[in-house]
């Protein structure tokens, strides 16, 4: 089965500098993305959902712009999630774009998950 790429975008009235901690630090990610987040080693984050460990390597990080996590469990090989912060020069609004690349191809389920 091939991977499915889902993209969602959300508007925030906050600066990327403020929002970046929520996509790059264990404490920030734990507030909205996973029940618990710890760092296990060199850029290895352990995301806990439903008491299950989902280790992922932070493969990309641009200060106040983006992060990407590639999941490492055998059943999650090729799955990744990317968080990007982009500012509209016209409105000065920050847009938070999530790209979820996984086995899940149910767009309604993914939409509900990210909402």
């Amino acid at each position: 089965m091939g991977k499915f790429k889902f993209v969602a975008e959300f508007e925030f009235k906050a600066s990327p500098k403020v929002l970046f901690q929520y996509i790059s630090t264990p404490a920030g990610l734990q507030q909205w993305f996973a029940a618990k987040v710890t760092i296990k080693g060199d850029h290895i984050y352990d995301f806990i959902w439903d008491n299950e460990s989902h280790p992922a390597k932070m493969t990309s990080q641009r200060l106040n712009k983006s992060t990407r996590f590639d999941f490492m469990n055998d059943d999650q090989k090729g799955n990744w999630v990317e968080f990007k912060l982009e500012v509209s020069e016209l409105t000065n609004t920050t847009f938070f774009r999530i790209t979820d690349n996984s086995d899940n191809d149910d767009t309604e389920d993914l939409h509900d998950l990210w909402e």
Side-chain angles (χ1 to χ4, degrees):
M1 179 176 183
K3 300 296 179 185
F4 180 76
K5 189 182 288 186
F6 177 81
V7 179
E9 193 169 83
F10 304 92
E11 185 177 344
F12 285 89
K13 300 241 186 260
S15 75
K17 190 174 185 178
V18 169
L19 295 173
F20 187 69
Q21 68 179 331
Y22 292 99
I23 66 170
S24 63
T25 67
L29 288 159
Q30 190 169 301
Q31 287 188 29
W32 70 277
F33 184 61
K36 184 172 183 177
V37 181
T38 58
I39 295 181
K40 295 289 187 183
D42 190 31
H43 300 287
I44 305 297
Y45 285 61
D46 191 19
F47 298 99
I48 307 294
W49 292 288
D50 300 325
N51 294 318
E52 290 185 27
S53 172
H54 300 274
K57 182 167 188 155
M58 182 189 280
T59 55
S60 175
Q61 178 179 359
R62 293 184 58 211
L63 185 62
N64 298 328
K65 298 262 186 216
S66 66
T67 56
R68 176 176 160 151
F69 297 93
D70 288 38
F71 290 92
M72 301 168 62
N73 284 345
D74 288 339
D75 63 336
Q76 294 178 316
K77 291 287 185 189
N79 292 0
W80 53 267
V81 64
E82 181 177 60
F83 306 122
K84 284 189 176 183
L85 301 169
E86 297 175 354
V87 177
S88 167
E89 292 181 22
L90 199 58
T91 63
N92 210 28
T93 300
T94 301
F95 290 93
F96 175 42
R97 180 178 300 138
I98 298 166
T99 305
D100 181 340
N101 190 70
S102 68
D103 299 317
N104 187 352
D105 63 356
D106 183 339
T107 55
E108 188 173 314
D109 182 44
L110 287 164
H111 184 320
D112 291 344
L113 172 74
W114 288 111
E115 279 291 321

